[in-house]
Amino acid sequence: DKNEYDNAKKYFIELLSFSDLDENMVLNANFQLAYDEFKNGNLDPFNEFIDNFPESPMSQQALLLMARFYKGSDNRVSELAVFSRMLELYPDDPKILNAYAWRMSEMNLNLLDALDKVRHAVELAYDDEDFQAGILDTEAELLWRLGLFDEAIKTIEKSLLIDPESEYFSDQKEKFINAKKEFGN
């Protein structure tokens, strides 16, 4: 918490030498050590962490950080490989499905696959309307990218039904309407 990484690293290593640790302590220490290496450009410890603890939410966090790293370095091949691994490990996680779908809309790649996955995410998020509204926005964005303007408008309207005060969703709807006027559908 004090950003004293060298001291923290020493204590995390010492902590892992104890045999009677609870699982959360082991996970946290291993994640922090891997994260420290990640910040220094070494992604191997994150990959090992994910291999060792695939069910941990920290593994999802590691994968999302890796995807962001590759996005920032404009390494699409590695970024797509990270997304592939995420989808393999978490095929029914709406957060992962939505993150993939949104990024594919940004990259203008794999749009039909992303649309399938985001529609699955919408179904999975049935019990969280606020989250579902954001996922519907991703679906609408993909539909817009595919030139399916009427469907994009109908989908973003579902987001607006959930959050009628959202300026962002209203702006999205306007974007889709304008695209329909410009390109027809």
Side-chain angles (χ1 to χ4, degrees):
D1 290 343
K2 294 180 179 181
N3 293 324
E4 296 178 13
Y5 299 111
D6 290 336
N7 281 335
K9 184 176 180 178
K10 176 177 68 174
Y11 290 115
F12 281 126
I13 291 169
E14 183 179 342
L15 179 70
L16 288 172
S17 70
F18 293 96
S19 60
D20 59 341
L21 296 176
D22 73 16
E23 185 179 346
N24 287 332
M25 290 175 130
V26 171
L27 283 170
N28 188 46
N30 279 295
F31 179 84
Q32 294 301 331
L33 290 169
Y35 182 65
D36 187 56
E37 289 293 318
F38 169 76
K39 290 185 301 186
N40 294 319
N42 182 3
L43 280 65
D44 291 338
F46 256 175
N47 282 312
E48 290 173 26
F49 180 85
I50 295 160
D51 289 342
N52 292 330
F53 309 103
E55 300 300 317
S56 169
M58 291 178 188
S59 287
Q60 289 182 7
Q61 183 180 356
L63 285 162
L64 290 167
L65 286 167
M66 290 169 60
R68 188 177 311 142
F69 170 80
Y70 288 127
K71 177 184 177 183
S73 60
D74 201 28
N75 184 339
R76 286 185 170 202
V77 171
S78 295
E79 184 181 2
L80 289 169
V82 169
F83 274 112
S84 178
R85 189 170 183 197
M86 274 192 257
L87 294 170
E88 180 182 317
L89 289 170
Y90 314 109
D92 294 317
D93 186 301
K95 178 182 169 187
I96 297 297
L97 295 167
N98 188 57
Y100 165 75
W102 184 260
R103 185 62 181 132
M104 292 306 102
S105 76
E106 290 178 329
M107 296 169 83
N108 207 22
L109 290 173
N110 304 325
L111 298 179
L112 293 174
D113 181 57
L115 185 60
D116 286 341
K117 295 206 173 20
V118 81
R119 286 180 169 162
H120 183 52
V122 168
E123 293 170 6
L124 292 168
Y126 71 92
D127 61 343
D128 185 346
E129 276 194 336
D130 291 334
F131 183 43
Q132 192 178 54
I135 299 171
L136 286 164
D137 170 57
T138 302
E139 180 181 350
E141 187 78 11
L142 287 163
L143 292 164
W144 169 73
R145 290 269 185 201
L146 289 164
L148 302 171
F149 306 122
D150 287 332
E151 286 185 60
I153 293 164
K154 288 177 188 172
T155 303
I156 201 65
E157 285 174 345
K158 293 176 187 176
S159 294
L160 281 162
L161 283 173
I162 296 169
D163 186 0
E165 303 300 316
S166 172
E167 188 176 323
Y168 173 77
F169 293 151
S170 295
D171 290 346
Q172 285 286 84
K173 182 178 177 181
E174 189 65 29
K175 176 174 83 172
F176 304 149
I177 290 170
N178 289 336
K180 180 181 177 181
K181 287 177 187 174
E182 183 175 346
F183 300 107
N185 185 326

